[in-house]
Each structure stands twice: as C-alpha cells, then as structure tokens.
C-alpha cells in the first residue's frame, strides 16, 4: 500500500485547524518568515538549530541601526469546519525589535533576541504568562476561539 495523499480534514471528516508562525524582520524583507526554523540551514538538535538561527539573524543585522531592527512575530491559523467548507483564517502579530545580543533564557527560538514593544523586555526575559498574553500564536488562537463561540452550531 502507498501513502495516502488525502488531507487530514478529509481523512478524519472532523473540523481541522493548522497554524504556521514565524519571525518577520522588516529590513530583511520579512525573512526569516515561514522559514524561521530553517533560517540558518543547520541540521541538528533543536537547541543547536536555535543557536545557529540566532547567530545568522545577528550576522545579517550586524551594525544595523534600531530602525532597521524592527520585527514582528506572526501566526496564521487556518480552520476548516468540515471537509467541504471554505477555510477561515485568523492572524495574530506581536511587534518588537531584534536586540544586538541575546537577553534571557526563557522561551525558545528567537525569544532571547525579540524585544516585545508591549512588554519592554525580550521574550527570553519574560514570564510564560506575560509572553502568552501578548504572543502572536495566542492572539491568533483567541481569534479562532471567539469565532467558534459565535459560529458554532447550537
């Protein structure tokens, strides 16, 4: 038997949600974007990938003034209520800037480099509660939850 190429929503027949997130640096034309995990093209354990990605981002922004370090985390969630229904999309963003050196050890990925406008600290310095309150992913899924509360069958 071959591998089925049917989409997950067709296989299960159930409502399906999927998301993708990334860090978009405006001066880098939105890079790394959806390629955030593979930005440095490093293979290895997640911690080594994070270190390589952060080093690559800092290399590309070396010497850049603050206005060229503006960035945002962005998440897009796609929800399919049923296999034949049209997709509904939700987006969440979190604005900030890339600092010149990592700050904090919390979170993962680019968190020690991303200075949140709202928190005034990097996601690497923030508590989980504060990060989740302003995070792009949290905002996108809260928008989905609000839509479901309004559109769910009663």
């Amino acid at each position: 038997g071959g591998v089925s190429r049917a989409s997950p929503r067709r296989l299960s027949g159930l409502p399906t949600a999927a998301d993708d997130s990334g860090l978009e640096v405006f001066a880098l034309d939105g890079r790394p974007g959806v390629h955030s995990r593979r930005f440095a093209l490093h293979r290895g354990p997640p911690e080594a990938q994070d270190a390589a990605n952060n080093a690559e981002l800092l290399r590309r922004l070396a010497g850049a003034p603050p206005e060229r370090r503006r960035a945002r985390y962005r998440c897009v969630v796609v929800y399919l209520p049923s296999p034949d229904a049209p997709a509904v999309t939700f987006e969440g963003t979190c604005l900030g800037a890339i600092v010149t050196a990592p700050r904090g050890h919390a979170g993962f990925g680019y968190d020690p480099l991303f200075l949140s406008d709202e928190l005034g600290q990097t996601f690497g310095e923030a508590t989980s509660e504060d990060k989740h309150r302003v995070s792009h992913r949290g905002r996108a899924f809260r928008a989905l939850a609000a839509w479901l509360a309004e559109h769910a069958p009663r």
Side-chain angles (χ1 to χ4, degrees), residues 98-135:
I98 304 303
V99 294
T100 57
R103 294 179 8 199
H105 301 286
F108 63 95
Y110 300 98
D111 286 355
L113 296 179
F114 183 78
L115 178 66
S116 166
D117 286 353
E118 291 171 89
L119 298 180
Q121 60 186 355
T122 69
F123 274 4
E125 297 169 305
T127 65
S128 292
E129 295 80 19
D130 284 342
K131 178 183 168 186
H132 294 308
R133 182 172 48 82
V134 301
S135 82

Short mmCIF file of all heavy atoms in Angstrom, two decimals, residues 98-135:
data_model
loop_
_atom_site.label_atom_id
_atom_site.label_comp_id
_atom_site.label_asym_id
_atom_site.label_seq_id
_atom_site.Cartn_x
_atom_site.Cartn_y
_atom_site.Cartn_z
N ILE A 98 14.70 43.44 17.11
CA ILE A 98 15.76 42.47 17.38
C ILE A 98 16.89 43.18 18.12
O ILE A 98 17.44 44.17 17.63
CB ILE A 98 16.28 41.85 16.06
CG1 ILE A 98 15.13 41.23 15.27
CG2 ILE A 98 17.38 40.83 16.35
CD1 ILE A 98 14.32 40.17 16.00
N VAL A 99 17.23 42.66 19.30
CA VAL A 99 18.31 43.24 20.09
C VAL A 99 19.66 42.78 19.53
O VAL A 99 19.72 41.89 18.67
CB VAL A 99 18.18 42.89 21.59
CG1 VAL A 99 16.92 43.53 22.19
CG2 VAL A 99 18.16 41.38 21.82
N THR A 100 20.74 43.38 19.99
CA THR A 100 22.06 43.09 19.43
C THR A 100 22.72 41.86 20.04
O THR A 100 23.70 41.35 19.49
CB THR A 100 23.00 44.29 19.59
OG1 THR A 100 23.08 44.63 20.97
CG2 THR A 100 22.47 45.49 18.80
N ALA A 101 22.21 41.38 21.17
CA ALA A 101 22.75 40.18 21.83
C ALA A 101 21.61 39.53 22.61
O ALA A 101 20.71 40.23 23.09
CB ALA A 101 23.89 40.56 22.76
N PRO A 102 21.64 38.21 22.74
CA PRO A 102 20.56 37.52 23.47
C PRO A 102 20.40 38.04 24.89
O PRO A 102 21.38 38.35 25.56
CB PRO A 102 21.02 36.06 23.48
CG PRO A 102 22.02 35.94 22.38
CD PRO A 102 22.66 37.29 22.26
N ARG A 103 19.13 38.11 25.32
CA ARG A 103 18.80 38.52 26.69
C ARG A 103 17.76 37.56 27.24
O ARG A 103 16.68 37.43 26.69
CB ARG A 103 18.26 39.95 26.70
CG ARG A 103 19.31 40.96 26.30
CD ARG A 103 18.90 42.41 26.26
NE ARG A 103 17.62 42.80 26.77
CZ ARG A 103 17.02 43.95 26.47
NH1 ARG A 103 17.59 44.82 25.65
NH2 ARG A 103 15.84 44.25 26.97
N GLY A 104 18.10 36.88 28.32
CA GLY A 104 17.19 35.94 28.97
C GLY A 104 17.34 34.53 28.43
O GLY A 104 17.91 34.31 27.36
N HIS A 105 16.83 33.59 29.20
CA HIS A 105 16.97 32.17 28.85
C HIS A 105 15.63 31.46 28.73
O HIS A 105 15.59 30.25 28.54
CB HIS A 105 17.84 31.46 29.88
CG HIS A 105 19.21 32.05 29.98
ND1 HIS A 105 20.18 31.87 29.03
CD2 HIS A 105 19.77 32.87 30.91
CE1 HIS A 105 21.28 32.52 29.36
NE2 HIS A 105 21.06 33.14 30.50
N ALA A 106 14.54 32.19 28.86
CA ALA A 106 13.22 31.57 28.75
C ALA A 106 12.83 31.44 27.28
O ALA A 106 13.46 32.01 26.40
CB ALA A 106 12.18 32.42 29.50
N GLY A 107 11.78 30.68 27.06
CA GLY A 107 11.28 30.53 25.70
C GLY A 107 12.17 29.66 24.84
O GLY A 107 12.92 28.83 25.33
N PHE A 108 12.10 29.88 23.54
CA PHE A 108 12.87 29.09 22.58
C PHE A 108 13.06 29.89 21.32
O PHE A 108 12.52 30.99 21.18
CB PHE A 108 12.17 27.75 22.29
CG PHE A 108 10.83 27.91 21.65
CD1 PHE A 108 10.68 27.85 20.27
CD2 PHE A 108 9.70 28.14 22.42
CE1 PHE A 108 9.44 28.01 19.68
CE2 PHE A 108 8.45 28.29 21.84
CZ PHE A 108 8.33 28.23 20.47
N GLY A 109 13.80 29.36 20.40
CA GLY A 109 13.97 30.02 19.10
C GLY A 109 14.58 31.40 19.25
O GLY A 109 15.59 31.60 19.91
N TYR A 110 13.91 32.38 18.66
CA TYR A 110 14.40 33.75 18.63
C TYR A 110 14.01 34.55 19.88
O TYR A 110 14.30 35.74 19.96
CB TYR A 110 13.86 34.47 17.38
CG TYR A 110 14.27 33.82 16.09
CD1 TYR A 110 13.41 32.95 15.42
CD2 TYR A 110 15.52 34.07 15.52
CE1 TYR A 110 13.78 32.36 14.23
CE2 TYR A 110 15.90 33.48 14.33
CZ TYR A 110 15.02 32.62 13.69
OH TYR A 110 15.39 32.03 12.51
N ASP A 111 13.34 33.93 20.84
CA ASP A 111 12.83 34.65 22.01
C ASP A 111 13.87 35.51 22.72
O ASP A 111 13.56 36.64 23.10
CB ASP A 111 12.17 33.69 22.99
CG ASP A 111 10.81 33.19 22.51
OD1 ASP A 111 10.33 33.66 21.46
OD2 ASP A 111 10.23 32.33 23.20
N PRO A 112 15.13 35.05 22.92
CA PRO A 112 16.11 35.92 23.59
C PRO A 112 16.52 37.15 22.76
O PRO A 112 17.14 38.07 23.30
CB PRO A 112 17.31 35.00 23.81
CG PRO A 112 16.76 33.62 23.76
CD PRO A 112 15.63 33.69 22.75
N LEU A 113 16.19 37.17 21.47
CA LEU A 113 16.53 38.31 20.61
C LEU A 113 15.36 39.23 20.34
O LEU A 113 15.56 40.35 19.88
CB LEU A 113 17.08 37.81 19.26
CG LEU A 113 18.38 37.03 19.29
CD1 LEU A 113 18.77 36.59 17.88
CD2 LEU A 113 19.49 37.85 19.93
N PHE A 114 14.14 38.78 20.60
CA PHE A 114 12.94 39.56 20.25
C PHE A 114 12.50 40.41 21.43
O PHE A 114 12.01 39.91 22.44
CB PHE A 114 11.80 38.63 19.82
CG PHE A 114 10.57 39.39 19.38
CD1 PHE A 114 10.51 39.98 18.13
CD2 PHE A 114 9.49 39.53 20.23
CE1 PHE A 114 9.39 40.69 17.73
CE2 PHE A 114 8.36 40.24 19.84
CZ PHE A 114 8.31 40.82 18.58
N LEU A 115 12.66 41.72 21.29
CA LEU A 115 12.25 42.69 22.30
C LEU A 115 10.82 43.12 22.02
O LEU A 115 10.54 43.82 21.03
CB LEU A 115 13.18 43.91 22.27
CG LEU A 115 12.86 45.04 23.24
CD1 LEU A 115 13.06 44.59 24.69
CD2 LEU A 115 13.73 46.25 22.94
N SER A 116 9.90 42.69 22.85
CA SER A 116 8.48 42.99 22.67
C SER A 116 8.20 44.45 22.99
O SER A 116 8.56 44.94 24.06
CB SER A 116 7.65 42.09 23.59
OG SER A 116 6.32 42.55 23.70
N ASP A 117 7.53 45.15 22.07
CA ASP A 117 7.11 46.53 22.32
C ASP A 117 6.22 46.61 23.55
O ASP A 117 6.35 47.53 24.36
CB ASP A 117 6.34 47.09 21.12
CG ASP A 117 7.21 47.42 19.92
OD1 ASP A 117 8.45 47.34 20.03
OD2 ASP A 117 6.64 47.75 18.87
N GLU A 118 5.31 45.68 23.68
CA GLU A 118 4.33 45.72 24.76
C GLU A 118 4.93 45.39 26.12
O GLU A 118 4.52 45.95 27.13
CB GLU A 118 3.17 44.78 24.47
CG GLU A 118 2.31 45.25 23.32
CD GLU A 118 1.30 44.22 22.91
OE1 GLU A 118 0.19 44.22 23.48
OE2 GLU A 118 1.63 43.40 22.03
N LEU A 119 5.88 44.46 26.15
CA LEU A 119 6.45 44.04 27.43
C LEU A 119 7.67 44.85 27.83
O LEU A 119 8.03 44.88 29.01
CB LEU A 119 6.81 42.55 27.38
CG LEU A 119 5.66 41.58 27.15
CD1 LEU A 119 6.18 40.14 27.12
CD2 LEU A 119 4.58 41.75 28.20
N GLY A 120 8.37 45.44 26.86
CA GLY A 120 9.58 46.18 27.17
C GLY A 120 10.72 45.28 27.59
O GLY A 120 11.69 45.72 28.21
N GLN A 121 10.65 44.03 27.25
CA GLN A 121 11.70 43.05 27.50
C GLN A 121 11.64 41.98 26.42
O GLN A 121 10.66 41.89 25.69
CB GLN A 121 11.55 42.43 28.89
CG GLN A 121 10.25 41.71 29.12
CD GLN A 121 10.09 41.23 30.57
OE1 GLN A 121 10.99 41.36 31.38
NE2 GLN A 121 8.95 40.68 30.89
N THR A 122 12.72 41.20 26.33
CA THR A 122 12.71 40.14 25.32
C THR A 122 11.79 39.02 25.80
O THR A 122 11.52 38.88 27.00
CB THR A 122 14.11 39.56 25.07
OG1 THR A 122 14.55 38.85 26.22
CG2 THR A 122 15.12 40.64 24.67
N PHE A 123 11.33 38.23 24.85
CA PHE A 123 10.55 37.05 25.22
C PHE A 123 11.41 36.09 26.03
O PHE A 123 10.89 35.30 26.80
CB PHE A 123 10.00 36.36 23.97
CG PHE A 123 8.69 36.94 23.48
CD1 PHE A 123 8.10 38.04 24.06
CD2 PHE A 123 8.07 36.35 22.39
CE1 PHE A 123 6.90 38.55 23.59
CE2 PHE A 123 6.86 36.85 21.92
CZ PHE A 123 6.27 37.95 22.52
N GLY A 124 12.72 36.14 25.87
CA GLY A 124 13.62 35.32 26.68
C GLY A 124 13.69 35.76 28.13
O GLY A 124 14.06 34.98 29.00
N GLU A 125 13.34 37.01 28.40
CA GLU A 125 13.32 37.55 29.77
C GLU A 125 11.92 37.47 30.39
O GLU A 125 11.78 37.53 31.61
CB GLU A 125 13.75 39.02 29.76
CG GLU A 125 15.16 39.25 29.30
CD GLU A 125 15.46 40.72 29.05
OE1 GLU A 125 14.73 41.36 28.27
OE2 GLU A 125 16.43 41.21 29.64
N ALA A 126 10.90 37.36 29.59
CA ALA A 126 9.51 37.43 30.05
C ALA A 126 9.08 36.13 30.73
O ALA A 126 9.57 35.04 30.42
CB ALA A 126 8.58 37.71 28.86
N THR A 127 8.11 36.27 31.63
CA THR A 127 7.49 35.08 32.21
C THR A 127 6.61 34.44 31.14
O THR A 127 6.18 35.10 30.18
CB THR A 127 6.61 35.44 33.42
OG1 THR A 127 5.51 36.24 32.97
CG2 THR A 127 7.41 36.16 34.51
N SER A 128 6.33 33.17 31.32
CA SER A 128 5.44 32.48 30.37
C SER A 128 4.09 33.17 30.29
O SER A 128 3.52 33.32 29.20
CB SER A 128 5.25 31.02 30.78
OG SER A 128 6.44 30.31 30.62
N GLU A 129 3.58 33.59 31.43
CA GLU A 129 2.27 34.24 31.46
C GLU A 129 2.28 35.54 30.64
O GLU A 129 1.36 35.80 29.87
CB GLU A 129 1.84 34.53 32.90
CG GLU A 129 1.61 33.30 33.74
CD GLU A 129 2.89 32.67 34.28
OE1 GLU A 129 3.96 33.34 34.33
OE2 GLU A 129 2.84 31.47 34.61
N ASP A 130 3.32 36.36 30.83
CA ASP A 130 3.39 37.62 30.08
C ASP A 130 3.56 37.36 28.59
O ASP A 130 2.90 38.00 27.76
CB ASP A 130 4.53 38.49 30.58
CG ASP A 130 4.20 39.17 31.91
OD1 ASP A 130 3.01 39.24 32.27
OD2 ASP A 130 5.15 39.62 32.58
N LYS A 131 4.42 36.42 28.25
CA LYS A 131 4.64 36.10 26.84
C LYS A 131 3.34 35.63 26.18
O LYS A 131 2.97 36.10 25.11
CB LYS A 131 5.73 35.05 26.69
CG LYS A 131 5.97 34.65 25.24
CD LYS A 131 6.99 33.56 25.12
CE LYS A 131 6.99 33.00 23.72
NZ LYS A 131 7.86 31.84 23.57
N HIS A 132 2.64 34.72 26.83
CA HIS A 132 1.41 34.18 26.24
C HIS A 132 0.33 35.24 26.11
O HIS A 132 -0.49 35.20 25.20
CB HIS A 132 0.90 32.97 27.03
CG HIS A 132 1.83 31.80 26.97
ND1 HIS A 132 2.30 31.28 25.78
CD2 HIS A 132 2.40 31.05 27.94
CE1 HIS A 132 3.12 30.28 26.02
NE2 HIS A 132 3.20 30.12 27.33
N ARG A 133 0.34 36.22 27.01
CA ARG A 133 -0.66 37.28 26.97
C ARG A 133 -0.54 38.12 25.70
O ARG A 133 -1.54 38.58 25.14
CB ARG A 133 -0.50 38.17 28.21
CG ARG A 133 -1.50 39.29 28.32
CD ARG A 133 -1.41 40.01 29.66
NE ARG A 133 -0.08 40.38 30.08
CZ ARG A 133 0.59 41.47 29.66
NH1 ARG A 133 0.03 42.29 28.80
NH2 ARG A 133 1.80 41.73 30.10
N VAL A 134 0.70 38.32 25.20
CA VAL A 134 0.91 39.19 24.03
C VAL A 134 1.37 38.43 22.79
O VAL A 134 1.58 39.03 21.74
CB VAL A 134 1.92 40.31 24.35
CG1 VAL A 134 1.44 41.16 25.52
CG2 VAL A 134 3.31 39.77 24.58
N SER A 135 1.50 37.12 22.89
CA SER A 135 2.09 36.37 21.78
C SER A 135 1.20 36.31 20.54
O SER A 135 -0.03 36.34 20.63
CB SER A 135 2.44 34.94 22.21
OG SER A 135 1.30 34.11 22.14
#
